[in-house]
PDB file of all heavy atoms in Angstrom:
ATOM      1  N   HIS T 288      -6.374 -14.192  45.454  1.00 97.00           N
ATOM      2  CA  HIS T 288      -7.232 -13.309  46.111  1.00 97.00           C
ATOM      3  C   HIS T 288      -8.507 -14.093  46.596  1.00 97.00           C
ATOM      4  O   HIS T 288      -9.111 -13.670  47.685  1.00 97.00           O
ATOM      5  CB  HIS T 288      -7.710 -12.326  45.094  1.00 97.00           C
ATOM      6  CG  HIS T 288      -8.604 -11.140  45.548  1.00 97.00           C
ATOM      7  ND1 HIS T 288      -8.184 -10.053  46.250  1.00 97.00           N
ATOM      8  CD2 HIS T 288     -10.086 -11.108  45.423  1.00 97.00           C
ATOM      9  CE1 HIS T 288      -9.227  -9.387  46.486  1.00 97.00           C
ATOM     10  NE2 HIS T 288     -10.402  -9.853  46.063  1.00 97.00           N
ATOM     11  N   PHE T 289      -8.969 -15.084  45.860  1.00 97.00           N
ATOM     12  CA  PHE T 289     -10.134 -15.850  46.305  1.00 97.00           C
ATOM     13  C   PHE T 289      -9.758 -17.105  46.950  1.00 97.00           C
ATOM     14  O   PHE T 289     -10.692 -17.978  47.181  1.00 97.00           O
ATOM     15  CB  PHE T 289     -11.079 -16.036  45.129  1.00 97.00           C
ATOM     16  CG  PHE T 289     -11.680 -14.763  44.717  1.00 97.00           C
ATOM     17  CD1 PHE T 289     -11.421 -14.240  43.369  1.00 97.00           C
ATOM     18  CD2 PHE T 289     -12.594 -14.145  45.477  1.00 97.00           C
ATOM     19  CE1 PHE T 289     -12.015 -13.023  43.039  1.00 97.00           C
ATOM     20  CE2 PHE T 289     -13.177 -12.923  45.085  1.00 97.00           C
ATOM     21  CZ  PHE T 289     -12.886 -12.360  43.925  1.00 97.00           C
ATOM     22  N   ALA T 290      -8.546 -17.497  47.160  1.00 96.00           N
ATOM     23  CA  ALA T 290      -8.066 -18.726  47.812  1.00 96.00           C
ATOM     24  C   ALA T 290      -8.790 -18.945  49.160  1.00 96.00           C
ATOM     25  O   ALA T 290      -8.912 -17.987  50.017  1.00 96.00           O
ATOM     26  CB  ALA T 290      -6.640 -18.821  47.990  1.00 96.00           C
ATOM     27  N   GLY T 291      -9.397 -20.090  49.296  1.00 95.00           N
ATOM     28  CA  GLY T 291     -10.056 -20.376  50.567  1.00 95.00           C
ATOM     29  C   GLY T 291     -11.483 -19.697  50.726  1.00 95.00           C
ATOM     30  O   GLY T 291     -12.128 -19.928  51.723  1.00 95.00           O
ATOM     31  N   LYS T 292     -11.895 -19.010  49.695  1.00 96.00           N
ATOM     32  CA  LYS T 292     -13.238 -18.243  49.830  1.00 96.00           C
ATOM     33  C   LYS T 292     -14.225 -19.105  49.057  1.00 96.00           C
ATOM     34  O   LYS T 292     -13.955 -19.784  48.147  1.00 96.00           O
ATOM     35  CB  LYS T 292     -13.172 -16.910  49.174  1.00 96.00           C
ATOM     36  CG  LYS T 292     -12.113 -15.958  49.831  1.00 96.00           C
ATOM     37  CD  LYS T 292     -12.679 -15.095  50.857  1.00 96.00           C
ATOM     38  CE  LYS T 292     -11.664 -14.429  51.746  1.00 96.00           C
ATOM     39  NZ  LYS T 292     -10.657 -13.644  50.995  1.00 96.00           N
ATOM     40  N   GLY T 293     -15.469 -18.968  49.479  1.00 95.00           N
ATOM     41  CA  GLY T 293     -16.600 -19.765  48.789  1.00 95.00           C
ATOM     42  C   GLY T 293     -17.182 -19.088  47.675  1.00 95.00           C
ATOM     43  O   GLY T 293     -16.922 -17.843  47.368  1.00 95.00           O
ATOM     44  N   TYR T 294     -18.090 -19.801  46.944  1.00 96.00           N
ATOM     45  CA  TYR T 294     -18.757 -19.188  45.778  1.00 96.00           C
ATOM     46  C   TYR T 294     -19.629 -17.923  46.128  1.00 96.00           C
ATOM     47  O   TYR T 294     -19.617 -16.979  45.481  1.00 96.00           O
ATOM     48  CB  TYR T 294     -19.801 -20.196  45.154  1.00 96.00           C
ATOM     49  CG  TYR T 294     -19.037 -21.245  44.340  1.00 96.00           C
ATOM     50  CD1 TYR T 294     -19.756 -22.354  43.954  1.00 96.00           C
ATOM     51  CD2 TYR T 294     -17.728 -21.189  43.998  1.00 96.00           C
ATOM     52  CE1 TYR T 294     -19.220 -23.360  43.141  1.00 96.00           C
ATOM     53  CE2 TYR T 294     -17.094 -22.147  43.179  1.00 96.00           C
ATOM     54  CZ  TYR T 294     -17.834 -23.270  42.763  1.00 96.00           C
ATOM     55  OH  TYR T 294     -17.257 -24.218  41.998  1.00 96.00           O
ATOM     56  N   GLY T 295     -20.298 -18.027  47.400  1.00 96.00           N
ATOM     57  CA  GLY T 295     -21.076 -16.837  47.828  1.00 96.00           C
ATOM     58  C   GLY T 295     -20.195 -15.503  47.919  1.00 96.00           C
ATOM     59  O   GLY T 295     -20.616 -14.474  47.374  1.00 96.00           O
ATOM     60  N   HIS T 296     -19.058 -15.625  48.619  1.00 97.00           N
ATOM     61  CA  HIS T 296     -18.122 -14.475  48.711  1.00 97.00           C
ATOM     62  C   HIS T 296     -17.767 -14.018  47.341  1.00 97.00           C
ATOM     63  O   HIS T 296     -17.719 -12.733  47.065  1.00 97.00           O
ATOM     64  CB  HIS T 296     -17.038 -14.952  49.530  1.00 97.00           C
ATOM     65  CG  HIS T 296     -15.966 -13.882  49.651  1.00 97.00           C
ATOM     66  ND1 HIS T 296     -15.764 -13.134  50.866  1.00 97.00           N
ATOM     67  CD2 HIS T 296     -14.977 -13.460  48.808  1.00 97.00           C
ATOM     68  CE1 HIS T 296     -14.803 -12.287  50.605  1.00 97.00           C
ATOM     69  NE2 HIS T 296     -14.306 -12.417  49.440  1.00 97.00           N
ATOM     70  N   PHE T 297     -17.385 -14.965  46.539  1.00 98.00           N
ATOM     71  CA  PHE T 297     -16.802 -14.645  45.185  1.00 98.00           C
ATOM     72  C   PHE T 297     -17.861 -13.866  44.456  1.00 98.00           C
ATOM     73  O   PHE T 297     -17.614 -12.837  43.755  1.00 98.00           O
ATOM     74  CB  PHE T 297     -16.401 -15.936  44.467  1.00 98.00           C
ATOM     75  CG  PHE T 297     -16.145 -15.709  42.961  1.00 98.00           C
ATOM     76  CD1 PHE T 297     -15.192 -14.728  42.634  1.00 98.00           C
ATOM     77  CD2 PHE T 297     -16.679 -16.613  42.100  1.00 98.00           C
ATOM     78  CE1 PHE T 297     -14.934 -14.637  41.239  1.00 98.00           C
ATOM     79  CE2 PHE T 297     -16.381 -16.420  40.726  1.00 98.00           C
ATOM     80  CZ  PHE T 297     -15.442 -15.451  40.295  1.00 98.00           C
TER      81      PHE T 297
END
Side-chain angles (χ1 to χ4, degrees):
H288 186 81
F289 290 114
K292 304 266 164 57
Y294 284 168
H296 175 103
F297 170 49

